[in-house]
Amino acid sequence: MRHILLVVSLLASILFGIVLLTTDAELWDNAPSHAYGLIGLVLVDVVLIIISQRSKNGFLKHVRYIGVVKFLIILGDILTAPEFGITYLEFAEYLLSLWAYDGLLGSQLAIALSSHYHLRRLS
């Protein structure tokens, strides 16, 4: 299997995303648009796994940026706190108390680092 570290990172991201979608009732009750956004991010990971198995190594240079952008999007969710009538700190504490959210953040960094690692190994 090509790019094993990348595929494992993408699978972890998918897993953490699905766990959040299925276990965080607050997500669906108070922020369904965020839930749909997370579904989109999970689908991006699925597409990236398929591409990683079918394409040459050229796509890797873009995947590291995708991982960083997804990390910033997920972390940036904290900035939506006023929509829910709470402070940024309260929302950050809530989100960071969810192990699946923490895993989702970490898996984005793993995606970026593993694709970077594969690129370095190939050159």
Side-chain angles (χ1 to χ4, degrees):
M1 181 181 277
R2 284 191 206 169
H3 318 299
I4 188 73
L5 293 175
L6 176 60
V7 170
V8 168
S9 301
L10 289 164
L11 287 172
S13 178
I14 291 167
L15 174 69
F16 291 125
I18 290 172
V19 168
L20 269 176
L21 288 165
T22 57
T23 62
D24 186 8
E26 296 292 323
L27 177 62
W28 289 102
D29 290 343
N30 298 317
S33 63
H34 293 234
Y36 295 123
L38 182 53
I39 290 170
L41 293 177
V42 169
L43 291 175
V44 166
D45 292 336
V46 170
V47 169
L48 288 175
I49 288 175
I50 293 167
I51 291 171
S52 75
Q53 298 309 303
R54 294 181 181 226
S55 73
K56 301 292 182 195
N57 298 323
F59 89 102
L60 283 173
K61 61 184 166 192
H62 304 294
V63 175
R64 61 182 163 183
Y65 301 119
I66 293 170
V68 170
V69 168
K70 285 175 50 193
F71 176 85
L72 294 173
I73 289 169
I74 295 164
L75 188 62
D77 205 30
I78 293 168
L79 299 176
T80 64
E83 290 178 30
F84 310 110
I86 57 177
T87 67
Y88 296 115
L89 181 59
E90 290 170 329
F91 199 38
E93 287 174 345
Y94 168 71
L95 289 174
L96 294 171
S97 73
L98 302 171
W99 64 268
Y101 180 83
D102 298 336
L104 193 59
L105 282 174
S107 63
Q108 303 320 304
L109 294 178
I111 290 167
L113 292 173
S114 63
S115 61
H116 181 75
Y117 166 77
H118 285 296
L119 277 172
R120 300 283 290 183
R121 214 176 88 195
L122 294 171
S123 54

